[in-house]
Amino acid sequence: LLGLGGAYVQTTLENLPGIRGLASSFGLNYIPGTWIQSIDVAKGTGGVPTGYESMTGGINVELKKPDESEPLFVNGYVNHWGRGELNVQLAHKFSKKWSMGVLSHGSFLASEIDRNPDGFRDLARYDQINVLNRWKYASERWMAQFGGRYLQENRLGGQIGFKSEALTPALYGFTNQTKRGEGFFKLARLFPAKPFQGFALLGNAVWHDTRSLIGRRVYSGQQRSAYFNSIYQNILGDTRHTYKIGASIQLDEYAESFGNLVLNRTEIVPGVYGEYTYTDPENITLVVGQRLDYHNLFGWQYTPRVHVKKHFKNHTDWRLHVGRGFRVGNPLAENMGLLVSSRQVVLRNPIQPEISWNMGTSLGRDFGKMTVMADVYHTRFQQQQIVDAEHPGHLYLYMSNGPSYATAAQIEAILPYKERWEFKAAYRFFDVKQTMQDRQGNEVFLEKMMVNKHRVLTNIAYALPYNKWKADLTIHWNGSMRLPMIGEAEAGRSPSFFNINAQVTRTFRTWEWYLGGENLTNFRQLNPIVQAREPFGSQFDAGIVWGPIVGRTIYSGFRWKLGS
């Protein structure tokens, strides 16, 4: 988002810490799509009540609630590579106040796929089980939710025929076993006569254990986290002036190792915050937030953020944002793909926090049925964790205090046509650069590797009356990106390419059937692995992947629900 990786985006699950820490290795793969009720995406640093870690944006995922869901929902999926998925969701209302829901997911890929052929699996075999149970209580004055979640996933990649280090020691392999558990709660005091007033307590606790074999080296990671937040909101005089105040604490214990490199730390971060909002619906909205946190390792951290939205009479909205972000990264977990190589990982200095300022503005206008939006955001780092793959045989991790920034500009247009058609088109430009070190230790200012500078997206959607048939076509054009140095060769650039996806859906009274395809042009990065014939050699590298590997994918599935 805004030209930087997902680690810089604060991803929350119903306003609780979600994809962070060691879970960033596989990101949103841990949240099944059918569980999701809605996704809210905010560019910039977001509001202060959810914390200080947002740097380029925030994604809040709302899951399906038991009191608002159908009693039974089943979704099945299969593609022609042999990947299968089954999602079963249950919801039951015990009374007007009490309800309970279960969200379950199971998926697997058991096929051996090597289209190159280079002797390596193009897709890792895997299986995942993911279950969430939630209870909800709702009355006029109180609302409470609590529950738990468990995830277990196994991945197996590497050379064709690899089973384990013990059974096939001569073959290069990748294995990953992850177990993750979570408990959460939310408690809110409501005031029916004063809907603008409220008090809430919310929190969660997470344990995450993962272990990987990468060639002949072992990665091990353990995370224990707890989070607690209290929020009070009310008005100042009238409902044009509202405020939120609160206190939070984030506890994290990390234990990571890769070969001889060991990264352990314990973070305790209590904080307080306040946010004031002025709202004049026909004119302007102003949000000013500030929070102050004390990090046990890195001291006091002050986080100011300001958001402005101005309404004009000609159907035009203008937004402005400025804010600070602060985070402590986990460079091993966040760059797992670069570890699948013969590179020696070198930590040049101790892990330090990343600090950035984000500034952005956007303009949106309605031209009859068509909506056009344009925005520009700039993220500038005071200090940044650099993951340097520019040196053959090495992966250097170090802090950079030199100039590092990401500028993102986008223009988007949406045009509904005769109620059944909808057209979307967008162009996005990234300028992302960072200060790094060359072979002699001198600072150099380089374009960030593996980031497309230009991207174009178009989408066409069509639906028959009552949505009996729905179809959509999406075309992505991905511009070239700078690649890191490979062996002794100078860094080059990837080619640009198109990615075309399409899907058609037939809707019946209680179920839907869908058929679709991804990467319909069958574009592939033909040789993604460097020195694939010598996997234990000094120049082996499977981390320079910039495009699709398996090519075209055809899939089909169904959705069936039992009404209330």
Side-chain angles (χ1 to χ4, degrees):
L1 190 64
L2 305 188
L4 294 169
Y8 295 99
V9 180
Q10 185 179 30
T11 303
T12 55
L13 199 60
E14 300 183 346
N15 294 313
L16 289 169
I19 305 302
R20 63 183 297 274
L22 303 189
S24 59
S25 302
F26 297 103
L28 290 172
N29 287 325
Y30 289 162
I31 304 178
T34 60
W35 292 14
I36 297 173
Q37 177 177 292
S38 63
I39 298 178
D40 300 316
V41 179
K43 296 181 180 181
T45 54
V48 295
T50 55
Y52 49 84
E53 292 184 326
S54 172
M55 289 187 162
T56 62
I59 298 176
N60 183 55
V61 180
E62 291 288 332
L63 302 182
K64 293 182 177 178
K65 309 299 188 293
D67 57 335
E68 301 171 355
S69 301
E70 53 274 342
L72 176 62
F73 174 86
V74 181
N75 163 244
Y77 167 98
V78 65
N79 68 29
H80 82 284
W81 300 117
R83 181 179 183 272
E85 179 177 322
L86 181 66
N87 300 278
V88 180
Q89 300 166 18
L90 304 171
H92 181 70
K93 296 180 181 178
F94 295 95
S95 65
K96 291 183 178 180
K97 297 180 178 180
W98 280 98
S99 59
M100 185 273 292
V102 176
L103 305 177
S104 65
H105 165 91
S107 59
F108 69 93
L109 174 65
S111 304
E112 301 279 352
I113 304 168
D114 180 19
R115 294 193 64 196
N116 303 47
D118 59 6
F120 278 76
R121 296 180 176 96
D122 294 341
L123 295 174
R125 296 170 55 183
Y126 87 100
D127 59 80
Q128 182 188 117
I129 297 174
N130 201 342
V131 180
L132 182 147
N133 176 230
R134 179 209 304 267
W135 294 76
K136 184 175 181 179
Y137 172 85
S139 68
E140 289 188 359
R141 297 184 178 275
W142 292 95
M143 181 176 293
Q145 298 184 61
F146 59 91
R149 180 184 174 197
Y150 177 76
L151 176 144
Q152 180 172 315
E153 183 179 79
N154 301 291
R155 291 177 179 262
L156 177 69
Q159 289 182 288
I160 297 293
F162 173 80
K163 296 180 180 179
S164 68
E165 186 177 25
L167 295 176
T168 51
L171 298 180
Y172 189 100
F174 168 81
T175 64
N176 174 263
Q177 298 85 36
T178 298
K179 294 182 180 181
R180 179 180 175 89
E182 178 182 356
F184 61 89
F185 78 93
K186 293 183 178 182
L187 178 64
R189 174 70 165 90
L190 310 176
F191 300 87
K194 301 177 180 179
F196 47 79
Q197 185 178 0
F199 177 71
L201 299 173
L202 60 158
N204 69 347
V206 174
W207 63 266
H208 183 107
D209 289 349
T210 183
R211 180 180 174 85
S212 296
L213 174 70
I214 305 174
R216 290 172 179 157
R217 295 182 288 182
V218 173
Y219 168 82
S220 176
Q222 293 83 41
Q223 175 184 347
R224 304 291 183 266
S225 296
Y227 172 80
F228 179 82
N229 192 9
S230 60
I231 309 172
Y232 176 75
Q233 67 177 31
N234 208 335
I235 63 172
L236 294 169
D238 59 57
T239 54
R240 292 177 301 170
H241 307 273
T242 63
Y243 68 91
K244 294 179 182 179
I245 56 174
S248 66
I249 185 169
Q250 177 71 59
L251 309 173
D252 293 302
E253 184 178 78
Y254 294 105
E256 283 188 286
S257 65
F258 180 62
N260 296 323
L261 179 60
V262 177
L263 299 176
N264 296 338
R265 71 179 190 274
T266 299
E267 298 183 39
I268 305 172
V269 192
V272 294
Y273 59 86
E275 188 174 78
Y276 164 78
T277 303
Y278 172 77
T279 305
D280 181 352
E282 301 299 323
N283 186 25
I284 194 170
T285 300
L286 170 68
V287 181
V288 179
Q290 301 181 77
R291 66 176 296 136
L292 184 65
D293 298 273
Y294 181 77
H295 197 290
N296 65 307
L297 301 178
F298 306 111
W300 291 101
Q301 299 295 329
Y302 173 57
T303 307
R305 294 173 181 176
V306 178
H307 304 263
V308 181
K309 180 180 179 181
K310 173 67 176 175
H311 307 273
F312 296 93
K313 293 182 179 180
N314 58 352
H315 304 286
T316 301
D317 288 332
W318 171 73
R319 292 174 172 85
L320 177 68
H321 157 80
V322 179
R324 182 182 189 265
F326 167 90
R327 68 181 291 270
V328 183
N330 298 278
L332 293 179
E334 293 167 10
N335 297 277
M336 185 71 72
L338 294 176
L339 302 183
V340 187
S341 68
S342 294
R343 296 176 182 268
Q344 179 185 355
V345 181
V346 179
L347 182 68
R348 283 184 168 170
N349 47 33
I351 300 296
Q352 295 288 316
E354 296 184 283
I355 301 172
S356 70
W357 286 87
N358 182 278
M359 299 148 279
T361 184
S362 65
L363 189 67
R365 183 171 180 180
D366 293 333
F367 296 89
K369 292 184 177 181
M370 184 173 69
T371 301
V372 177
M373 294 169 284
D375 59 59
V376 178
Y377 281 83
H378 180 77
T379 305
R380 182 166 291 270
F381 286 88
Q382 285 182 229
Q383 56 187 47
Q384 184 182 25
Q385 177 77 54
I386 300 297
V387 180
D388 187 344
E390 308 291 340
H391 306 265
H394 292 83
L395 181 68
Y396 290 110
L397 309 175
Y398 53 87
M399 297 304 300
S400 174
N401 296 313
S404 292
Y405 68 80
T407 300
Q410 177 172 300
I411 184 167
E412 177 182 2
I414 302 174
L415 176 63
Y417 178 70
K418 292 185 177 179
E419 298 182 356
R420 297 184 185 180
W421 291 88
E422 184 176 74
F423 300 89
K424 297 180 183 178
Y427 164 74
R428 185 166 61 187
F429 168 78
F430 287 146
D431 179 26
V432 186
K433 293 183 178 179
Q434 56 189 11
T435 299
M436 306 178 70
Q437 296 176 3
D438 62 16
R439 296 185 182 185
Q440 288 73 42
N442 302 313
E443 289 190 346
V444 291
F445 195 47
L446 294 177
E447 178 184 343
K448 185 176 175 62
M449 70 175 190
M450 309 292 282
V451 176
N452 301 102
K453 205 162 191 175
H454 305 277
R455 292 186 183 183
V456 177
L457 177 144
T458 58
N459 175 265
I460 304 172
Y462 174 77
L464 286 174
Y466 309 106
N467 289 329
K468 285 187 176 181
W469 284 94
K470 295 181 290 184
D472 72 82
L473 174 69
T474 303
I475 302 173
H476 295 263
W477 179 78
N478 299 274
S480 68
M481 63 180 72
R482 189 182 73 81
L483 303 178
M485 185 178 293
I486 300 174
E488 295 299 323
E490 291 299 320
R493 300 191 68 87
S494 70
S496 60
F497 64 93
F498 283 94
N499 193 329
I500 301 177
N501 304 325
Q503 179 173 299
V504 60
T505 302
R506 175 65 166 100
T507 302
F508 300 91
R509 189 173 64 87
T510 60
W511 67 287
E512 295 180 340
W513 167 81
Y514 57 91
L515 174 68
E518 299 173 353
N519 190 17
L520 293 177
T521 59
N522 201 35
F523 178 84
R524 291 189 294 145
Q525 181 181 349
L526 297 179
N527 298 295
I529 300 178
V530 179
Q531 295 293 323
R533 301 302 177 188
E534 298 182 24
F536 296 105
S538 61
Q539 295 187 15
F540 172 78
D541 196 338
I544 315 301
V545 178
W546 48 261
I549 296 176
V550 296
R552 183 185 300 112
T553 298
I554 305 299
Y555 63 87
S556 183
F558 71 92
R559 307 180 188 96
W560 177 77
K561 61 182 179 180
L562 178 66
S564 56

